[in-house]
Amino acid sequence: MTGCGPAARGRHRLLAAGLGLASVWGFSVTGVGQTFRISVDAVAVDVLVTRNGRPVLGLTADDFTLLDNDVPQQIESVLLEDVPITLLLVLDTSGSVVGAPLAQLLMAAEAVAEALRPDDRVGLVTFSHNVRVVVEPPSLPASLPDALRRVRATGGTALYDATFAAFALRERTVGRTLMLVFSDGDDTTSWLDPRDVLNTAQRSDVVVYAVNLAGVAPDSWQERQGRRSARRWFVAEPHLFRGQYLPVLAEETGGSVFVAQDTGRLRAAFARVVDEFRRRYLLTYAPTGVELSGWHELDVRVEGRGRDVQARRGYLR
């Protein structure tokens, strides 16, 4: 974060308040200052390659070109599917999902946990006006159903605080970490400033996928234009772009936003998220020719016509 004027000082006070809340929630918040990393010397980047909307499989390191701050890098390894994942579910349990919507949401969460592999792990964060770490990672997927049966819906929507809490849990997760966020509305009650959560996302290797019930299709021209405007103006006027928070967060981390037309389709949307995440490549490289600290703009390309690449925009370390 930069700047030392009244607005910046106010944001810092809100972040400090959020840190205090996090200590009440009962987990470490070292994720706020964590370094984007896989190890001391290597960086890992999750990459999705598609053609006509379908994942492209069977690629090797020779098929990829990766630039870090415009400097070509030597890709040391490319993994697909073989790495265990930790699924961090971040579920909106505000008053707007009381009744049948909550039941559908919890069934979708339970079904996606049942589809995980034996070496995968889970965590569960629920949020209304309060944020609760219901299942701490790295927990076995079998621990999720009992926890879900205790979830109730009430209150407002602390979306920014909840995603911040999930990023803070990264220090406890193992393997590749997928954050799956469901929300049916905009933030209404968070303490934290969304810009500080985005700053945290840039320092984390977590990939964020969001599922919501509102808005135009995420691949439409209107949505793409909205994300560009949101990224351009978010720092100055985040309250004007509340509906763009999850799309911007997903794009920053290399993920996507899926829209379910109704709560009955959440199960299919959740399953699609995990299936797509497993079809992503994990590229690792040791940065050379660039400063290790600061912002690293990433540019990942792949050989072959008609192939689209989706990866995080960059990272801070």
Side-chain angles (χ1 to χ4, degrees), residues 2 4 48 52 59 70-71 85 96 113 145 150 155 175 181 186 188 198 203 234 238 279 285 294 309:
T2 60
C4 59
L48 178 67
N52 297 324
L59 301 178
D70 294 325
V71 178
I85 70 171
S96 59
R150 297 192 298 269
V181 184
D186 296 335
T188 59
L198 291 173
R203 298 177 183 274
F234 205 90
R279 296 171 184 267
Y285 71 99
V309 177

Side-chain angles (χ1 to χ4, degrees), residues 66-78:
L66 190 152
L67 280 69
D68 185 322
N69 282 341
D70 294 325
V71 178
Q73 302 295 315
Q74 180 67 43
I75 298 173
E76 298 178 348
S77 67
V78 175

Side-chain angles (χ1 to χ4, degrees), residues 1 53 61 79 89 93 105 124 128 135 141 160 164-165 176 181 191 196 212 226 236 246 260-261 268 282 314 317:
M1 295 172 286
L79 298 177
L89 287 166
T93 57
L105 172 61
L124 172 63
S128 55
V135 176
Y160 308 150
F164 173 84
R176 301 163 71 187
V181 184
W191 286 82
D196 292 315
N212 63 35
L246 282 177
Q261 297 304 314
L282 187 67
R317 61 181 303 176

Side-chain angles (χ1 to χ4, degrees), residues 182-313:
F182 165 77
S183 182
D184 69 342
D186 296 335
D187 189 287
T188 59
T189 60
S190 282
W191 286 82
L192 296 180
D193 189 299
R195 292 165 291 189
D196 292 315
V197 187
L198 291 173
N199 181 278
T200 300
Q202 292 172 345
R203 298 177 183 274
S204 173
D205 58 359
V206 174
V207 178
V208 177
Y209 276 74
V211 176
N212 63 35
L213 300 175
V216 295
D219 291 330
S220 70
W221 180 88
Q222 295 97 323
E223 184 72 4
R224 291 195 299 272
Q225 289 298 111
R227 287 201 300 271
R228 293 189 184 101
S229 297
R231 187 188 304 119
R232 184 178 179 183
W233 299 108
F234 205 90
V235 173
E237 301 289 349
H239 63 283
L240 297 179
F241 297 94
R242 290 187 304 161
Q244 287 296 326
Y245 171 72
L246 282 177
V248 170
L249 184 64
E251 189 169 17
E252 285 291 323
T253 62
S256 298
V257 176
F258 292 158
V259 176
Q261 297 304 314
D262 55 65
T263 54
R265 302 185 187 184
L266 289 177
R267 182 170 181 164
F270 282 20
R272 181 183 171 192
V273 167
V274 175
D275 180 68
E276 181 172 293
F277 187 73
R278 289 202 188 277
R279 296 171 184 267
R280 298 173 69 102
Y281 293 88
L282 187 67
L283 311 184
T284 61
Y285 71 99
T288 57
V290 295
E291 295 291 334
L292 292 182
S293 61
W295 172 251
H296 291 247
E297 189 84 21
L298 292 176
D299 183 4
V300 182
R301 305 169 187 173
V302 68
E303 296 292 331
R305 296 183 60 183
R307 293 175 175 177
D308 297 314
V309 177
Q310 186 174 312
R312 65 174 51 251
R313 195 171 60 87

